[in-house]
Amino acid sequence: MQDRRISNVFPHWTSDGNWLIYLAYLQSGGEYRRIPVPGGVPQILVGNRNAQAFLFDTGPGGRLLYKGSNHEAVAFDSQSRQTQNLGVLPAGEKCNVLRFSPDGRLVAYIVNAGGQDDPKAGLWVTDFKNPPRQVFQGWVVWYARGQNREIYLLEGKPDLNGVLWKVRWDGKDLTRLHFRAALQHRSEVHVEPSCHLRNQHLGMAAPQFPARRDVKRHIAAQYAGGRNDGLLRVG
């Protein structure tokens, strides 16, 4: 679908399933682009010299969420082509993996630890109107939003094992799930809806093997270590 002479990474599906928004790395910096799913000419949405693959997301109405050069969260409307500065991320450069809530009203982000037992490390949620809320404290390796107002996150442990949790966007109903995985690589959590089942498919993948979504919108879940391969279904 795309010219491979440019490094195109981390495609995100729009909510209507008609477009892929991805990051194109150029010598001059990064560009967020979109392309129709059947193929075609890519459209440049916005350029960002400091663009990083794990610092952007797509939300309702084809909105693009990314981190600006001054540690602010920026939303770009691909329909009106208007850019909105949502607010500065409190933890600055320690913030990564931005995600919209399903309704697009909240933004979640990981705060990396500044040292051992850093109380601010974990997963945070903000609407940029009220003080941000820490919904999980600890080493968060990766996370993904679910369908029913929940977030699935992978907690890293000192023994390099990962523990899976789910929590609501308001911080309630924190629940440990019965799943563990060795963190031989940085593991990633992917949650996508299925067209044919009401349940959700939860997959884990290492970054060397990014999860891809087929026409039935299932997640191919693979684990780089060769164990726990397969699909974990959660209700």
Side-chain angles (χ1 to χ4, degrees):
M1 292 177 64
Q2 255 290 39
D3 188 343
R4 295 185 179 180
R5 290 176 296 178
I6 300 174
S7 179
N8 303 307
V9 293
F10 281 76
H12 289 54
W13 292 72
T14 56
S15 57
D16 59 12
N18 294 327
W19 297 84
L20 285 173
I21 295 180
Y22 62 94
L23 175 61
Y25 279 118
L26 310 170
Q27 290 184 348
S28 59
E31 289 181 350
Y32 295 110
R33 301 180 177 185
R34 71 173 184 175
I35 191 169
V37 170
V41 179
Q43 302 175 7
I44 298 175
L45 298 178
V46 64
N48 182 7
R49 288 184 176 273
N50 300 308
Q52 298 183 46
F54 49 85
L55 288 178
F56 80 99
D57 189 30
T58 57
R63 285 202 301 164
L64 170 68
L65 172 69
Y66 63 94
K67 186 177 179 180
S69 58
N70 295 315
H71 308 306
E72 73 275 18
V74 182
F76 176 82
D77 191 320
S78 58
Q79 297 178 356
S80 67
R81 304 194 70 82
Q82 297 294 314
T83 300
Q84 179 185 7
N85 189 332
L86 301 178
V88 176
L89 295 164
E93 61 185 15
K94 293 182 181 180
C95 293
N96 64 66
V97 193
L98 308 185
R99 293 288 182 267
F100 271 128
S101 62
D103 59 10
R105 297 179 180 180
L106 302 173
V107 171
Y109 56 91
I110 293 174
V111 173
N112 296 325
Q116 187 174 3
D117 300 325
D118 185 349
K120 294 184 178 180
L123 186 63
W124 294 74
V125 172
T126 182
D127 60 1
F128 296 103
K129 299 176 182 177
N130 300 293
R133 177 188 300 114
Q134 188 177 29
V135 299
F136 185 87
Q137 183 179 359
W139 172 23
V140 178
V141 180
W142 203 258
Y143 73 101
R145 58 176 174 262
Q147 290 177 285
N148 301 314
R149 299 292 298 174
E150 71 273 346
I151 299 172
Y152 292 88
L153 63 96
L154 187 66
E155 178 193 15
K157 292 293 188 180
D159 61 0
L160 296 183
N161 279 310
V163 178
L164 194 63
W165 298 79
K166 70 174 181 178
V167 64
R168 293 177 61 87
W169 282 81
D170 58 8
K172 298 179 180 178
D173 299 331
L174 177 63
T175 304
R176 178 173 173 170
L177 303 178
H178 298 290
F179 182 78
R180 293 177 65 89
L183 300 179
Q184 295 183 6
H185 302 278
R186 188 190 71 195
S187 298
E188 299 176 6
V189 179
H190 305 269
V191 179
E192 295 290 346
S194 165
C195 286
H196 305 289
L197 298 173
R198 291 186 179 181
N199 290 340
Q200 296 173 81
H201 290 165
L202 179 63
M204 292 182 59
Q208 292 89 338
F209 305 96
R212 296 180 297 177
R213 183 176 177 181
D214 63 17
V215 293
K216 293 183 179 180
R217 301 186 183 184
H218 289 127
I219 282 295
Q222 295 190 1
Y223 176 58
R227 293 170 294 174
N228 295 327
D229 293 339
L231 205 60
L232 174 65
R233 183 175 298 171
V234 295

